[in-house]
Amino acid sequence: MVNQKLLVLLGFMLLLIIQRHELLVNGRFVVEKNSLMVTSPEKIKGSHDSAIGNFGIPQYGGSMAGAVVYPKDNQKGCREFGSSSSFNTKPGSLPNFLLLDRGGTNFYDLGLSGLIGPTDKLCLLTDWYLALLGNYPLLDLVKRYFSGRFFGFVLRFSDCLRCVLMWVLEVWNAQQAGASAVLVADDIEEALITMDNPEEDSSSDKYISNITIPSALIEKSFGETLKNAINSGEMVNVNLDWREAVPHPDDRVEYELWTNSNDECGVKCDMLMDFVKDFKGAAQILEKGGYTQFTPHYITWYCPKAFLLSRQCKSQCINHGRYCAPDPEQDFSSGYEGKDVVLENLRQLCVFRVANESSKPWIWWDYVTDFRIRCPMKDKKYNKDCADSVIKTLGLDTKKIEKCMGDPTADVDNIALKEEQDAQVGKGTRGDVTILPTLVVNNRQYRGKLAKGAVLKAICSGFEETTEPAVCLSSDVETNECLDNNGGCWQDKSANISACKDTFRGRVCECPLVDGLQFKGDGYNHCEVSGAGRCKINNGGCWHESRNGHTFSACQDKTDGKCECPPGFKGDGVKSCSDIDECKEKKACQCSECKCENTWGSYNCSCSGDLLYIRDHDTCISKRSGEVRSAWTAVWVIFIGLAVAAAGGYMVYKYRLRRYMDSEIRAIMAQYMPLDNQSEIANHVEHA
């Protein structure tokens, strides 16, 4: 059964070839090399080239010495090495460099039996795929665009594809067995090629992300020389040298990253975004210090004229087919389209250009990471509105960015994207850019794991000796992005509270926890605190003011986060509360004898003559009548008190008298009752 995933991949590659035939026919793929020096035995001593693997961590700017070991079995490293085959470095000895044969497989292993190989069957595949795209005759396309050179390229492409998984697996198994580096001997005589990692195979993720040892491909003849020396009992020592892998002409490093805004394109997009977030702090330190000049780039291609009216080109391209990107979901009937990705790529490119004009190119790193966090495709926020909110947070001019982007519907070239397409073609020591992501340092393509430490080492190796910045000489990189415009996060300056948190990987915008109270919000534009105790933190964000020793606040813990002006004031409770003039509005002190005077937050009311103002009843009463009433009240209180005391004394007297009489009666009865009993007993005897 045909592997559907590979069908889509080959078909997509075919369409890419049709669209970019000039690049593929005339382009160049440059293999980045490092020097391999054999130091012993004497008879094979010398220098050789090796191609740096595009995974693992090459020691850019340094060198590494080791002893070459060739295993007795599992010589292709396709299987895990058993416990008996340990290549761990022993104390006092050189690290072990494991020499392996280039892993080979066939198309039966990949489930492609009968599909790849004979030209006629490949024709059936390509014909079927193009038929799905628009029912265009394959033969006419081949004659028109490739002049017979197409099939040779596809066959070579498929031959490379079959080796990709094996390279990664070989290095992973060697690392697990304790090897410090891996040398892979080619199985055919050919020019050195780069060992890349599989673009779309998620099963290799656990290998790629965890490979930390360097690897390199060597020529078949050189590999045979090393094997013969080892098999004859010779000690083979080599030195891997990466010091010239990156040019280092001066005290500034120029580097560029070919990237993509699509966040739903699989493993490599996730790896790319993780790298951008991790590397942001170091990149901004280098850029702000003037040590580096960074430039982001975005890959696009154009749609051939024969396909301009097709559904695929219309959904994937802007400016009438000039600039295209693949559909994120590979489904033209739903979700986001390729042209959405092109537009966001263009926006990110213009963000960099506008920021660069203001001498702050490092803002690009903030925009890209914030856009990924705040505007993901999975949340249906991958759009212009969300992008504009991020741009506004970072303080960039949206009008300049829109002007840079131009009109995507116009039948004209877009200056920014046209320059990007021209930049894809290799110049000097740099090859053509056809793979995402691609990192180029001093016009030399970086090879290795896209990780902060590895990339920083490669960049630092690009400085002229003794001109490296301090960050290259330390084991740590620290930057406080919150010191610059509060990192674009929410803040309350009056309370000195901020949502910006500086971390090793860069700043994050999260509503803070202050004195046990959690603020809630998006962290960028809004944070507020609610619940009991909220008034302790800057009066809960409510209005408050002090005058003449009196302080009023619109914050009340019981109002569940709402701000309400206190009694005597009116307003929204947040921005303002104004004094109510109770006298003018006749809300108090309205009796005929009353005289009203307004105060801030309250009022004073007095009565004429000898009258007394009663605030609760808003009335005036006579002070004399009040005194008489008070005297009679005292008399009645005394009278009632005496009456209660007399009644109490009478009750006590009566109770004690009764107890005395009861005791006397019991004493008298105790004297006479026994005589009565004896008389009754005698009478009973006589009668008997």
Side-chain angles (χ1 to χ4, degrees):
M1 188 173 184
V2 176
N3 187 312
Q4 296 295 325
K5 190 173 184 180
L6 192 60
L7 277 177
V8 175
L9 178 60
L10 288 175
F12 176 76
M13 285 298 299
L14 176 62
L15 184 57
L16 179 61
I17 294 165
I18 292 173
Q19 295 168 331
R20 300 289 291 167
H21 64 281
E22 295 93 344
L23 176 63
L24 293 170
V25 172
N26 302 314
R28 302 175 305 112
F29 185 80
V30 176
V31 178
E32 283 66 32
K33 302 176 182 178
N34 63 313
S35 175
L36 191 155
M37 174 70 72
V38 179
T39 57
S40 70
E42 188 70 26
K43 62 182 180 181
I44 63 171
K45 183 182 292 186
S47 180
H48 302 267
D49 283 337
S50 59
I52 304 174
N54 203 20
F55 45 83
I57 303 179
Q59 302 299 316
Y60 280 100
S63 60
M64 187 178 185
V68 181
V69 180
Y70 186 59
K72 295 180 179 180
D73 56 4
N74 193 20
Q75 294 170 343
K76 292 183 178 180
C78 301
R79 306 183 308 276
E80 293 183 3
F81 292 93
S83 56
S84 59
S85 300
S86 175
F87 306 105
N88 289 303
T89 303
K90 297 179 181 179
S93 63
L94 289 173
N96 289 320
F97 293 176
L98 191 60
L99 175 62
L100 297 174
D101 295 327
R102 177 175 170 180
T105 186
N106 53 55
F107 288 102
Y108 291 91
D109 298 330
L110 297 178
L112 299 174
S113 174
L115 178 62
I116 305 295
T119 301
D120 57 341
K121 293 186 178 181
L122 184 59
C123 286
L124 291 176
L125 167 65
T126 53
D127 194 11
W128 170 81
Y129 191 84
L130 287 177
L132 285 181
L133 291 180
N135 198 24
Y136 295 100
L138 173 68
L139 186 58
D140 291 346
L141 291 174
V142 172
K143 289 181 179 179
R144 181 175 181 180
Y145 290 100
F146 302 104
S147 302
R149 289 176 287 183
F150 164 68
F151 290 109
F153 173 84
V154 175
L155 288 174
R156 179 59 182 154
F157 163 73
S158 63
D159 182 56
C160 291
L161 181 65
R162 70 185 174 88
C163 304
V164 160
L165 298 179
M166 300 306 299
W167 282 338
V168 175
L169 185 59
E170 284 183 59
V171 179
W172 170 253
N173 288 337
Q175 177 177 293
Q176 292 297 94
S180 298
V182 176
L183 301 178
V184 179
D186 206 343
D187 57 352
I188 58 175
E189 289 294 350
E190 63 176 348
L192 290 174
I193 61 175
T194 297
M195 296 189 299
D196 200 357
N197 53 59
E199 289 234 27
E200 301 296 336
D201 183 66
S202 59
S203 64
S204 62
D205 293 349
K206 64 179 181 180
Y207 307 134
I208 298 172
S209 60
N210 293 310
I211 291 177
T212 58
I213 62 175
S215 58
L217 180 71
I218 60 177
E219 295 177 348
K220 180 182 179 181
S221 57
F222 179 47
E224 293 298 328
T225 300
L226 294 178
K227 294 176 197 175
N228 292 334
I230 294 172
N231 291 333
S232 62
E234 300 278 1
M235 178 181 291
V236 180
N237 294 336
V238 300
N239 187 44
L240 290 173
D241 193 342
W242 292 271
R243 285 176 294 184
E244 300 300 324
V246 176
H248 43 89
D250 52 31
D251 60 354
R252 190 178 75 165
V253 171
E254 293 81 27
Y255 71 105
E256 56 193 52
L257 177 65
W258 291 82
T259 180
N260 186 20
S261 66
N262 183 359
D263 61 8
E264 292 292 331
C265 61
V267 176
K268 280 209 169 182
C269 283
D270 294 338
M271 185 188 305
L272 170 63
M273 200 59 237
D274 290 341
F275 164 73
V276 171
K277 289 191 293 185
D278 289 347
F279 194 69
K280 183 177 74 167
Q284 292 181 329
I285 282 181
L286 292 170
E287 199 74 12
K288 291 177 181 179
Y291 301 115
T292 60
Q293 180 179 338
F294 168 73
T295 307
H297 289 291
Y298 297 84
I299 292 180
T300 61
W301 60 85
Y302 61 83
C303 184
K305 292 182 180 180
F307 293 88
L308 284 178
L309 298 180
S310 67
R311 179 182 181 185
Q312 287 72 27
C313 279
K314 288 184 177 180
S315 66
Q316 297 183 96
C317 308
I318 66 173
N319 293 104
H320 290 251
R322 287 177 173 83
Y323 314 104
C324 311
D327 188 284
E329 298 92 359
Q330 299 299 318
D331 183 357
F332 300 112
S333 61
S334 63
Y336 289 100
E337 299 177 323
K339 62 183 179 182
D340 296 322
V341 176
V342 178
L343 286 173
E344 180 53 34
N345 287 349
L346 176 58
R347 182 177 290 107
Q348 293 186 6
L349 187 63
C350 288
V351 164
F352 173 78
R353 293 193 171 197
V354 172
N356 195 35
E357 290 175 359
S358 62
S359 300
K360 294 182 178 180
W362 51 83
I363 293 180
W364 177 88
W365 295 89
D366 292 322
Y367 175 80
V368 172
T369 52
D370 286 359
F371 182 83
R372 174 66 182 268
I373 295 171
R374 300 171 61 181
C375 313
M377 287 184 175
K378 63 180 181 180
D379 293 342
K380 309 299 181 185
K381 294 182 178 180
Y382 187 91
N383 53 47
K384 181 180 182 300
D385 291 340
C386 190
D388 287 344
S389 67
V390 177
I391 292 172
K392 183 178 180 181
T393 299
L394 297 175
L396 295 175
D397 192 331
T398 56
K399 292 184 178 179
K400 287 186 178 180
I401 294 174
E402 291 176 357
K403 182 179 180 181
C404 170
M405 293 181 65
D407 183 4
T409 64
D411 189 9
V412 296
D413 286 335
N414 181 287
I415 297 176
L417 291 179
K418 183 64 169 60
E419 291 178 357
E420 292 298 288
Q421 286 187 342
D422 293 340
Q424 287 177 226
V425 181
K427 297 179 180 64
T429 58
R430 196 211 76 189
D432 300 331
V433 178
T434 57
I435 300 173
L436 284 176
T438 292
L439 181 70
V440 179
V441 181
N442 281 353
N443 209 37
R444 187 72 60 84
Q445 189 165 332
Y446 166 84
R447 297 297 182 190
K449 184 178 181 180
L450 198 64
K452 176 185 175 180
V455 171
L456 185 58
K457 185 172 292 186
I459 290 175
C460 290
S461 69
F463 290 101
E464 186 180 7
E465 290 183 350
T466 71
T467 66
E468 304 94 342
V471 65
C472 293
L473 305 176
S474 65
S475 59
D476 197 10
V477 179
E478 184 61 35
T479 174
N480 191 346
E481 299 174 38
C482 296
L483 298 178
D484 185 8
N485 193 32
N486 196 50
C489 305
W490 171 89
Q491 66 174 332
D492 187 340
K493 293 183 179 179
S494 60
N496 195 26
I497 298 174
S498 170
C500 187
K501 295 181 180 179
D502 187 60
T503 69
F504 180 78
R505 296 182 178 181
R507 72 98 176 91
V508 293
C509 296
E510 294 180 353
C511 293
L513 177 68
V514 181
D515 294 337
L517 299 175
Q518 179 63 59
F519 283 73
K520 296 181 180 181
D522 62 7
Y524 293 92
N525 302 308
H526 177 68
C527 286
E528 65 177 9
V529 64
S530 60
R534 73 184 187 95
C535 296
K536 297 178 182 178
I537 307 297
N538 194 30
N539 288 282
C542 302
W543 170 89
H544 69 285
E545 189 174 347
S546 298
R547 290 185 187 179
N548 301 323
H550 298 283
T551 300
F552 291 91
S553 172
C555 183
Q556 300 180 34
D557 288 338
K558 64 181 180 180
T559 56
D560 193 26
K562 295 181 180 180
C563 298
E564 295 181 358
C565 292
F569 292 88
K570 60 182 178 180
D572 60 10
V574 179
K575 296 182 179 180
S576 66
C577 285
S578 58
D579 174 62
I580 297 176
D581 191 338
E582 292 85 353
C583 302
K584 186 176 181 180
E585 296 182 13
K586 298 183 179 181
K587 291 187 174 182
C589 198
Q590 296 301 305
C591 61
S592 57
E593 301 87 0
C594 296
K595 182 180 180 182
C596 186
E597 179 186 1
N598 185 60
T599 62
W600 185 64
S602 185
Y603 65 94
N604 290 326
C605 189
S606 58
C607 299
S608 59
D610 60 347
L611 298 179
L612 179 67
Y613 179 70
I614 306 299
R615 194 181 188 92
D616 293 339
H617 300 283
D618 192 30
T619 186
C620 293
I621 63 173
S622 173
K623 291 182 179 180
R624 187 177 300 277
S625 61
E627 293 173 356
V628 173
R629 187 180 294 111
S630 298
W632 276 107
T633 300
V635 171
W636 278 106
V637 168
I638 294 173
F639 177 79
I640 293 173
L642 292 174
V644 171
Y650 174 76
M651 294 298 294
V652 171
Y653 168 77
K654 187 176 181 180
Y655 173 75
R656 295 189 64 179
L657 179 62
R658 175 177 291 181
R659 289 193 62 184
Y660 173 77
M661 293 181 67
D662 288 342
S663 62
E664 289 294 322
I665 293 172
R666 282 195 296 271
I668 294 172
M669 292 180 66
Q671 293 177 3
Y672 292 101
M673 286 301 290
L675 297 177
D676 293 341
N677 291 341
Q678 293 175 1
S679 174
E680 291 175 2
I681 294 172
N683 290 334
H684 284 296
V685 172
E686 291 176 358
H687 287 297

